[in-house]
Every structure is written in C-alpha cells, then in structure tokens.
Amino acid sequence: MDPAVADELPGALDPALRDEIAHTTANALVHHGRATEDPQVVARLVALVETEGLDVVAAMWADSPADTLPGALWRLYVLREWVRRDPGTVADRYRQGVAAAPVHDVVAGVVEMPGPDDVRAVADAVLSGVYTGDLATALERAAAFCQVLATGAAFDADHLDALDPGAAARQTRGAASLVRTAEELARAAQLWRADRLE
C-alpha cells in the first residue's frame, strides 16, 4: 500500500500486523548484518537511530516484548541512544557503580575510569556485536553495562536524598528500570543461545 494512502486510513495499526512488522524488520536487520563482512554496513546498522530517528525505530519495536528479538534490539538501541546523548552522565554513573555492581566489569567491557568517549565506544561495540559476533554475548555485555549503571544511579539517588527528595525518587526509579533492562537483556541472551529468541 502506498504510504500516503496508509497514513489516511482511520484507526491504529492491527496489533498482529505490528508484531509481524517488528519481527520481520528485526530478523532482516540481524540476518543481513550477520551475513555481511562489510564494516560500512555494520556501521550503518549501529547508527540506525541516527539516520532513521528514534521515533521510527520505536514505531517498529518499542511495543515488542523483551523476550523477542525486536524487543531486545529496541533495548539495545535505546541504551546506545542514551549513551550517545548523555555520555558524561553515563560515564559518571558507570564509575560510581563499577566497584559495587554485582557483575564482573570485564563483561561490560568498559575501561577503568571511563570518560564520555569510552562509554560511547562501548555502546557502539555492543551493538556491533549483534551483527559481527555472538549476539548472546552482545546482550550479556549490555546487561552487565546496565547493571553497573543501575548501581551508579542508586548511589546518585542516595547522594540526592537529603538535597532533593523528588530527584532522588526519580533517580531510584531510573535505577530500578536499568536493573529490569539488565534482567531482560540477560534473559534474551539465554533465549538466543537456546535458539528461542524470535
């Protein structure tokens, strides 16, 4: 159907069709990226949000469950976008959380005492790993990264508690969200290894 005609149709997209589009696009991207040895293709896939926009990627995958390939990709792209937009905060939270996080920081793959450029490089490397390496390993790296960031965000919340309780509460919710994302990414890695991440 012509996109202009589709835009004029009343009502929302059929959920079954939305699910099919999500799975088809996610599978196509992953399989195409894994089938090529061209680093420029991988670089374009990593920069998908920058070229297509976060709203386009969200329209495709944001409603997908975490235990699906499009749901896992959505979480990876959102994580990369956050790192790309606010690398200073991400680096600071990583430095605060790395010593106390219940994961081995080597899994996350971030250098000791990272700066903004270091966390950007890790986010790109994790997403590149989806297309050039073991997808389960890329998901586990992202999960470890989120876990460390969650710990750093919790420390931030503790520091803010006396100064700004509202900000501390928002930060605590953000830390809880990062823990949930870490758990979802770790589960997606398990499913990929079992050939059940669809």
Side-chain angles (χ1 to χ4, degrees):
M1 180 180 296
D2 182 89
V5 173
D7 286 342
E8 292 179 16
L9 292 176
L13 192 60
D14 176 6
L17 181 58
R18 179 183 296 276
D19 187 56
E20 182 181 337
I21 290 169
H23 283 82
T24 300
T25 55
N27 279 304
L29 283 177
V30 169
H31 292 299
H32 178 68
R34 296 176 74 73
T36 186
E37 294 184 17
D38 185 348
Q40 291 180 343
V41 170
V42 173
R44 283 195 308 270
L45 291 172
V46 168
L48 181 68
V49 169
E50 291 161 60
T51 56
E52 298 301 323
L54 189 60
D55 55 337
V56 170
V57 178
M60 288 190 304
W61 299 335
D63 293 332
S64 299
D67 60 354
T68 65
L69 183 59
L73 288 177
W74 169 245
R75 283 151 182 79
L76 292 176
Y77 277 102
V78 168
L79 179 63
R80 180 184 181 267
E81 186 64 8
W82 176 40
V83 171
R84 193 176 75 77
R85 289 183 183 191
D86 196 3
T89 299
V90 173
D92 183 54
R93 291 206 180 126
Y94 192 90
R95 286 190 301 270
Q96 289 184 61
V98 71
V103 296
H104 199 289
D105 63 310
V106 174
V107 176
V110 181
V111 299
E112 192 173 325
M113 299 307 291
D117 290 338
D118 299 316
V119 292
R120 273 195 207 110
V122 167
D124 286 352
V126 166
L127 206 45
S128 293
V130 168
Y131 304 110
T132 62
D134 179 12
L135 190 135
T137 300
L139 293 167
E140 288 168 343
R141 284 185 71 191
F145 189 65
C146 285
Q147 189 64 52
V148 173
L149 292 174
T151 304
F155 285 143
D156 262 358
D158 287 346
H159 293 113
L160 283 171
D161 204 24
L163 300 171
D164 186 348
R170 285 189 299 278
Q171 195 76 318
T172 300
R173 284 191 300 275
S177 179
L178 282 165
V179 168
R180 186 176 56 255
T181 300
E183 291 167 350
E184 291 168 346
L185 290 169
R187 175 72 178 133
Q190 292 171 343
L191 290 171
W192 178 261
R193 284 206 169 93
D195 200 26
R196 292 175 37 221
L197 185 67
E198 297 177 355

